[in-house]
Amino acid sequence: MAGSALWFSLLLAAAFAGRATALWPWPQYIQTSEQRYTIFPYTFQFQYHVSSAAQVGCSVLDEAFQRYRDLLFGSVSFHFPQPMGKRHMSEKNSLVILVVTPGCDQFPSLESVENYTLTVNDEQCFLLSETVWGALRGLETFSQLVWRSPEGTFYINKTEIEDFPRFPHRGLLLDTSRHYLPLASILDTLDVMAYNKFNVFHWHLVDDSSFPYESFTFPNLTKKGSYNPATHIYTAQDVKKVIEYARLRGIRVLAEFDTPGHTLSWGPGVPGLLTPCYSGSHPSGTFGPVNPALNNTYEFMSTFFLEISSVFPDFYLHLGGDEVDFTCWKSNPDIQAFMKKKGFGEDFKKLESFYIQTLLDIVSAYGKGYVVWQEVFDNKVKVQPDTVIQIWREEMPVRYTKEMELVTSAGFRALLSAPWYLNHITYGPDWKNIYMVEPLAFEGSPEQKALVIGGEACMWGEYVDSTNLVPRLWPRAGAVAERLWSNKMLTNLDFAYKRLAHFRCELLRRGVQAQPLSVGYCDVEFEQT
Amino acid sequence: MKSRRWFCGCHPTSLSSSIWGRLSLQSEHSDTLTVNDEQCFLLSETVWGALRGLETFSQLVWRSPEGTFYINKTEIEDFPRFPHRGLLLDTSRHYLPLASILDTLDVMAYNKFNVFHWHLVDDSSFPYESFTFPNLTKKGSYNPATHIYTAQDVKKVIEYARLRGIRVLAEFDTPGHTLSWGPGVPGLLTPCYSGSHPSGTFGPVNPALNNTYEFMSTFFLEISSVFPDFYLHLGGDEVDFTCWKSNPDIQAFMKKKGFGEDFKKLESFYIQTLLDIVSAYGKGYVVWQEVFDNKVKVQPDTVIQIWREEMPVRYTKEMELVTSAGFRALLSAPWYLNHITYGPDWKNIYMVEPLAFEGSPEQKALVIGGEACMWGEYVDSTNLVPRLWPRAGAVAERLWSNKMLTNLDFAYKRLAHFRCELLRRGVQAQPLSVGYCDVEFEQT
């Protein structure tokens, strides 16, 4: 039943027949009809099937049930229904969930199975999934299937859905260094990511501008590197909160500590870590990337990444490696001496490689995998075969589609971000361009294309903070979400527009300050309370 | 400058016989503020000047890390460079809840903006609740139960603005940009033709019917009475001639009037008649530049608003042409804030010099100011505030302050500080660049 043209047109026909037009992202297979069932909020409940591996006590689903009750019905209190006498055929008073594989207290991973089927017909109202993560995806879809008549009655149409993501890594990057984002902003973002079936939160915690991560092994990093250590930091408790909040939504936290470049804020807290730049024969007073010529550097990184490896449970860490400016290294006499000693000649890419290879070995020894920015690949750093390369540059050194080809043909897994820099705003409906990106539109064998594990929408923080993050992210990031979840054949912009515009109004209803796609209106416009 | 610090109980006063005088284009906004050993004193010609002084005073007061409030010894003489410093909101492409409009007026006052150009209706929707033609609203609004401005709402906006020294310049744009008027007033819009049959679509207001001018007469009588400012904005932009051309009745009218094939003459005919109607109600008017470009005969005291960046000429050239013809001009072309791009575009906004065109001092005196425009195709209450502020602040300073203020570092320091102050005042103003405020924005 793989995407044949006939099946797809059936999909569309089914979509326009019923009320399923409001789904975002669009499921892989859906059949729906005009036939509908009433739902009464007072008596509706989510129930575990007796055979489900997940039962009451499974926090991921117990909490999801509460969340989705609130989303669907507001804070309508639940009354236990009357003993099951005659049940009306036209009424659904529960969604029964059956999770096949146990594993409620674990963390989602790249390998997590997110498949689910949703069946709403005369006989049942049933969500079946392999794992709790798939159940979460199904619950979200269910919440988008329920609709309300003008009189206020809740309905769901007869529906059959089989769904699974096209790509396993569907991420969103937030930058909390250029601007500090209050914890609430991060948690709210995780909520909306879950509505869109995003499953990776790429947390670019620190950078040149500030170091808000509260390190316990090197507290001075935070004390001297944050904008304000009293107010603009993420404590250990904050970080735990983010990780658990994400986990409950089936979202992995991919933490990035970018080195050797983008590290100015590390300097004040760890004297000697950064390279002192030279003006002629004297230090100029400015600093450059991490100093790769000192043993201290690697001792520091060893200790620091031991902490990071223990704090962040995901198998992967993001180690950065982008935009290393060689000018400062070049100017420093100690580095020049080191280059000579190592026989690197004038090739600073070799020095960069040396640093990164050592770092990767350190991190591997802690049992972690890693993701790096494309420069690591472009500069021919020797990395382990299971490294994931994140492609972010649109035209340099080659067009990103070509870069996808090069990375995958070298056998590495790839993440696409280049056309999805959401911080790059322009006037007009740019969501269309975002949507029409086809991640596998490059020359390569099927085996190569299988190495593309997904992509990430990036919201860099130079001009973004909690005042404009939400309208700038949503609904535009939704276009990326669908491209990474749904069938490749979904390229009709009218069909997408109808659903995304509807979904945007639903986001408003859920309290999300998502901006408009174009001229129009929602039943209830956004008003700050 | 921080030599003395004062604990202060300040009583602003204003000297004016016209203390309750009407807020107008001519309203005197000047004030002096004196904070020294002897006094803490605000002197102004009118209440409007006092408002400006109060705002400045509020920005002089600062707080130490321990929490104590201070004001430094200060002497200020202030007045605006241009008398018309406006902001346009578009409530047709997207309905803006009343609270959004009122909040915007608050922040306009912080920036010393003094004109709220309310582009109430357009093609997309007609949210203005008309009492002479209730069907305009019933059939033209997105939802007449929820997406309208009642008479009470409009009064509220006008008074809220007045209390902040802000004039409300209402715009009812015709003959183009009027699709939403059609459902409520059958026959008002021109039916477009496909060959010899109506195509089912509609175009601009139909200038060939007497009914049209009867309607406009009655409608603008209402508008003239609802909106107290001397000026109304009558639009006149982007009139597409295609539909007119296709319509046989209009073709006949063109022949009868001897306009030949020149639809600019038909447009002129409509607009001249409309301007006469509005003049008779004792109102002045502002129009978009097409009215001037298309050589409509307008009264000498018409204000022309220049919005087109390159067509038919670069806007600086347009300023020259408009003022050399003796008309007063408002600049908007480089200040379309809805045109967002990546990066610190506030700098480009700030560096615009309204009088940078060829002309005599008398000509340049005809430039009465300008307006930042926030068109609503992609803007509603979810993104209005961060998109407006602090970027519109760059326009505000350009229109108030001395021409010589062009140092971007000096501007950046102050605007970044002002932006943090806006946050403190609860305004969801976006960042100018990398950095932080003591208290970041969190929605309650």
Side-chain angles (χ1 to χ4, degrees):
Chain A
M1 290 253 256
S4 68
L6 174 64
W7 176 247
F8 189 65
S9 54
L10 283 176
L11 267 180
L12 282 182
F16 288 111
R19 299 210 48 114
T21 48
L23 292 177
W24 195 275
W26 190 249
Q28 297 289 344
Y29 305 112
I30 176 171
Q31 267 186 323
T32 185
S33 96
E34 286 290 351
Q35 187 185 343
R36 64 190 193 189
Y37 308 95
T38 318
I39 293 178
F40 294 107
Y42 294 105
T43 55
F44 184 86
Q45 50 178 335
F46 297 105
Q47 278 181 317
Y48 293 102
H49 190 278
V50 287
S51 311
S52 169
Q55 290 292 333
V56 173
C58 171
S59 59
V60 172
L61 290 183
D62 285 350
E63 296 206 22
F65 293 165
Q66 188 53 53
R67 276 203 312 280
Y68 280 103
R69 269 200 73 76
D70 290 343
L71 277 176
L72 282 164
F73 310 123
S75 38
V76 166
S77 53
F78 169 74
H79 305 290
F80 272 98
Q82 300 302 337
M84 216 71 76
K86 186 174 157 90
R87 194 196 340 168
H88 282 210
M89 285 300 283
S90 63
E91 191 185 310
K92 291 297 171 198
N93 54 21
S94 72
L95 174 68
V96 176
I97 290 98
L98 199 167
V99 175
V100 172
T101 313
C104 198
D105 299 318
Q106 289 152 12
F107 288 93
S109 75
L110 180 59
E111 293 74 32
S112 289
V113 176
E114 296 173 279
N115 300 25
Y116 69 92
T117 64
L118 194 51
T119 310
V120 181
N121 58 29
D122 290 359
E123 288 78 46
Q124 46 186 346
C125 189
F126 182 55
L127 170 57
L128 171 69
S129 69
E130 191 64 42
T131 67
V132 289
W133 318 121
L136 286 177
R137 306 300 170 234
L139 278 172
E140 175 58 41
T141 302
F142 178 80
S143 78
Q144 293 187 29
L145 286 171
V146 176
W147 56 277
R148 215 169 173 183
S149 70
E151 298 73 42
T153 315
F154 293 92
Y155 291 104
I156 187 166
N157 284 41
K158 180 174 174 186
T159 309
E160 178 85 38
I161 288 179
E162 266 182 63
D163 204 5
F164 56 84
R166 182 180 173 199
F167 294 102
H169 184 124
R170 305 177 305 283
L172 184 70
L173 177 150
L174 288 186
D175 167 5
T176 56
S177 175
R178 275 59 175 264
H179 282 96
Y180 176 77
L181 290 176
L183 192 62
S185 290
I186 298 178
L187 301 182
D188 289 348
T189 301
L190 291 169
D191 279 328
V192 193
M193 283 173 67
Y195 304 158
N196 284 267
K197 296 186 169 71
F198 274 110
N199 68 350
V200 178
F201 168 40
H202 177 165
W203 194 353
H204 188 88
L205 279 126
V206 302
D207 203 294
D208 285 330
S209 320
S210 74
F211 195 104
Y213 170 76
E214 190 182 53
S215 165
F216 58 84
T217 45
F218 297 98
N220 273 346
L221 274 169
T222 327
K223 283 204 182 85
K224 306 204 164 170
S226 61
Y227 280 136
N228 185 331
T231 53
H232 288 56
I233 64 170
Y234 303 106
T235 62
Q237 191 180 28
D238 293 337
V239 173
K240 276 197 179 72
K241 201 164 178 181
V242 169
I243 292 170
E244 179 62 4
Y245 201 91
R247 189 187 78 85
L248 292 174
R249 287 152 183 75
I251 296 171
R252 299 165 47 206
V253 177
L254 175 65
E256 179 183 354
F257 287 86
D258 192 354
T259 70
H262 286 278
T263 44
L264 283 180
S265 69
W266 305 47
V270 185
L273 179 67
L274 303 184
T275 309
C277 313
Y278 272 65
S279 209
S281 54
H282 300 288
S284 68
T286 62
F287 293 89
V290 164
N291 192 335
L294 305 173
N295 284 335
N296 281 350
T297 295
Y298 302 104
E299 277 176 42
F300 167 82
M301 290 299 170
S302 244
T303 313
F304 184 74
F305 277 97
L306 177 56
E307 168 180 338
I308 300 308
S309 301
S310 68
V311 167
F312 293 95
D314 198 76
F315 174 68
Y316 292 90
L317 288 179
H318 199 301
L319 301 177
D322 61 313
E323 296 184 306
V324 184
D325 182 2
F326 296 153
T327 329
C328 186
W329 280 354
K330 239 182 246 206
S331 74
N332 183 297
D334 297 324
I335 300 223
Q336 290 161 14
F338 187 77
M339 289 285 282
K340 202 167 285 177
K341 187 172 107 178
K342 288 294 209 180
F344 290 158
E346 289 296 311
D347 191 354
F348 283 85
K349 286 186 183 180
K350 291 195 171 133
L351 181 59
E352 181 190 25
S353 290
F354 173 78
Y355 168 82
I356 292 183
Q357 274 153 217
T358 316
L359 178 66
L360 298 185
D361 290 344
I362 288 170
V363 170
S364 286
Y366 295 141
K368 291 293 195 189
Y370 38 75
V371 187
V372 289
W373 297 109
Q374 68 179 80
E375 286 93 324
V376 172
F377 170 81
D378 296 339
N379 294 351
K380 305 192 186 334
V381 176
K382 286 193 200 57
V383 298
Q384 293 197 9
D386 63 353
T387 310
V388 179
I389 311 286
Q390 186 162 9
I391 292 156
W392 70 273
R393 310 192 74 180
E394 284 203 85
E395 301 286 345
M396 300 287 290
V398 292
R399 183 137 179 76
Y400 74 84
T401 39
K402 182 70 178 169
E403 182 78 6
M404 299 282 276
E405 188 191 322
L406 295 172
V407 166
T408 53
S409 101
F412 296 105
R413 285 172 301 172
L415 278 176
L416 180 59
S417 282
W420 290 331
Y421 265 39
L422 300 185
N423 53 310
H424 284 167
I425 53 170
T426 55
Y427 178 69
D430 65 345
W431 72 270
K432 297 182 184 183
N433 304 327
I434 294 168
Y435 187 77
M436 292 307 281
V437 170
E438 171 39 57
L440 303 185
F442 61 90
E443 299 283 324
S445 65
E447 293 73 30
Q448 258 178 276
K449 303 211 171 180
L451 290 173
V452 178
I453 58 171
E456 296 190 345
C458 297
M459 186 58 83
W460 294 102
E462 284 85 348
Y463 303 101
V464 175
D465 76 358
S466 57
T467 56
N468 59 357
L469 174 69
V470 183
R472 195 161 292 192
L473 260 182
W474 315 106
R476 287 159 76 236
V480 180
E482 177 154 303
R483 182 51 55 221
L484 292 173
W485 177 278
S486 303
N487 190 291
K488 168 183 181 138
M489 308 227 301
L490 239 62
T491 53
N492 183 304
L493 283 171
D494 292 331
F495 184 53
Y497 174 78
K498 274 197 182 68
R499 291 178 296 111
L500 191 54
H502 185 281
F503 182 59
R504 184 254 168 178
C505 288
E506 172 63 14
L507 288 179
L508 285 199
R509 195 191 67 79
R510 297 185 182 192
V512 181
Q513 199 174 333
Q515 70 182 9
L517 283 173
S518 79
V519 174
Y521 72 105
C522 293
D523 289 339
V524 185
E525 302 293 354
F526 180 81
E527 281 198 65
Q528 241 162 56
T529 35
Chain B
M1 284 248 282
K2 283 195 195 293
S3 52
R4 307 280 291 270
R5 296 172 178 181
W6 296 91
F7 293 88
C8 188
C10 289
H11 304 285
T13 55
S14 80
L15 287 177
S16 174
S17 56
S18 61
I19 192 167
W20 304 118
R22 275 283 298 278
L23 177 60
S24 74
L25 178 58
Q26 287 71 34
S27 288
E28 185 56 61
H29 283 289
S30 62
D31 63 275
T32 66
L33 194 51
T34 310
V35 183
N36 59 28
D37 291 2
E38 288 78 45
Q39 48 184 342
C40 193
F41 183 57
L42 170 59
L43 173 66
S44 69
E45 192 66 41
T46 65
V47 288
W48 318 119
L51 287 177
R52 306 301 168 231
L54 279 171
E55 176 56 41
T56 303
F57 178 80
S58 77
Q59 294 187 29
L60 286 171
V61 175
W62 55 279
R63 215 168 172 183
S64 71
E66 297 73 39
T68 315
F69 294 92
Y70 291 103
I71 187 166
N72 282 43
K73 180 176 176 183
T74 309
E75 178 85 39
I76 289 179
E77 267 183 60
D78 205 7
F79 55 87
R81 180 181 174 200
F82 293 101
H84 184 125
R85 305 179 302 285
L87 185 71
L88 177 151
L89 288 186
D90 166 5
T91 56
S92 175
R93 274 59 176 264
H94 282 97
Y95 176 78
L96 290 176
L98 193 62
S100 290
I101 297 177
L102 301 181
D103 288 348
T104 301
L105 291 169
D106 278 331
V107 194
M108 283 173 67
Y110 303 157
N111 284 267
K112 296 187 171 65
F113 275 110
N114 69 349
V115 178
F116 168 40
H117 176 165
W118 193 353
H119 188 88
L120 278 126
V121 301
D122 203 294
D123 284 331
S124 319
S125 74
F126 196 105
Y128 169 75
E129 190 181 53
S130 166
F131 58 85
T132 45
F133 298 99
N135 273 345
L136 273 169
T137 328
K138 283 204 182 84
K139 305 206 165 173
S141 62
Y142 280 137
N143 184 332
T146 52
H147 288 56
I148 64 170
Y149 303 107
T150 62
Q152 191 179 27
D153 292 336
V154 174
K155 279 196 179 71
K156 200 163 178 180
V157 169
I158 292 170
E159 179 62 3
Y160 200 93
R162 189 187 77 86
L163 291 175
R164 286 151 184 76
I166 297 170
R167 301 165 46 208
V168 176
L169 175 64
E171 178 183 354
F172 286 86
D173 190 355
T174 68
H177 286 279
T178 44
L179 282 181
S180 69
W181 304 47
V185 184
L188 179 68
L189 303 184
T190 309
C192 312
Y193 272 65
S194 212
S196 55
H197 299 289
S199 69
T201 62
F202 295 88
V205 164
N206 191 333
L209 303 174
N210 283 333
N211 281 349
T212 294
Y213 303 102
E214 278 178 39
F215 167 82
M216 290 301 169
S217 244
T218 314
F219 183 74
F220 276 97
L221 175 57
E222 168 181 339
I223 300 308
S224 302
S225 69
V226 167
F227 293 95
D229 198 79
F230 175 69
Y231 292 89
L232 288 179
H233 199 301
L234 300 178
D237 62 314
E238 295 184 306
V239 185
D240 182 2
F241 296 152
T242 328
C243 185
W244 280 352
K245 238 183 246 206
S246 73
N247 182 297
D249 298 326
I250 299 223
Q251 290 160 12
F253 188 77
M254 289 284 281
K255 201 167 288 179
K256 186 172 106 177
K257 288 298 211 178
F259 291 156
E261 286 300 308
D262 191 355
F263 283 85
K264 287 186 182 181
K265 293 197 167 127
L266 181 58
E267 181 190 23
S268 289
F269 173 79
Y270 168 82
I271 291 183
Q272 272 152 219
T273 316
L274 177 66
L275 298 185
D276 289 345
I277 288 171
V278 170
S279 287
Y281 295 140
K283 291 293 196 190
Y285 37 76
V286 187
V287 289
W288 297 109
Q289 69 178 78
E290 285 93 324
V291 173
F292 170 80
D293 295 340
N294 293 353
K295 305 194 186 333
V296 177
K297 286 195 199 54
V298 297
Q299 293 197 10
D301 63 355
T302 310
V303 179
I304 310 287
Q305 188 163 8
I306 293 158
W307 70 274
R308 311 191 73 181
E309 285 202 87
E310 301 287 344
M311 300 286 293
V313 292
R314 180 134 180 79
Y315 74 85
T316 39
K317 182 70 179 171
E318 182 78 7
M319 298 283 273
E320 187 192 321
L321 294 173
V322 167
T323 53
S324 103
F327 295 106
R328 284 173 301 169
L330 277 176
L331 179 60
S332 282
W335 290 331
Y336 264 39
L337 301 185
N338 53 309
H339 285 166
I340 53 170
T341 55
Y342 178 70
D345 65 343
W346 73 270
K347 297 182 184 182
N348 303 326
I349 294 168
Y350 188 77
M351 293 306 281
V352 170
E353 171 40 57
L355 303 185
F357 61 90
E358 298 284 323
S360 66
E362 293 73 30
Q363 256 178 278
K364 301 211 173 180
L366 290 173
V367 178
I368 57 171
E371 295 190 347
C373 297
M374 186 58 83
W375 294 102
E377 284 85 348
Y378 303 101
V379 174
D380 76 358
S381 57
T382 55
N383 59 356
L384 174 69
V385 184
R387 195 160 293 192
L388 260 183
W389 313 108
R391 287 158 76 237
V395 181
E397 178 153 306
R398 183 50 58 220
L399 291 174
W400 178 280
S401 301
N402 192 290
K403 168 184 179 134
M404 309 227 298
L405 240 63
T406 52
N407 183 304
L408 281 171
D409 293 332
F410 184 52
Y412 174 78
K413 274 197 182 69
R414 289 179 297 111
L415 191 54
H417 184 279
F418 183 59
R419 184 255 167 178
C420 288
E421 171 64 10
L422 288 179
L423 283 200
R424 195 190 68 79
R425 296 184 182 192
V427 181
Q428 198 173 336
Q430 70 182 9
L432 283 175
S433 78
V434 172
Y436 71 105
C437 292
D438 290 337
V439 184
E440 302 294 355
F441 179 81
E442 281 199 63
Q443 237 161 57
T444 34

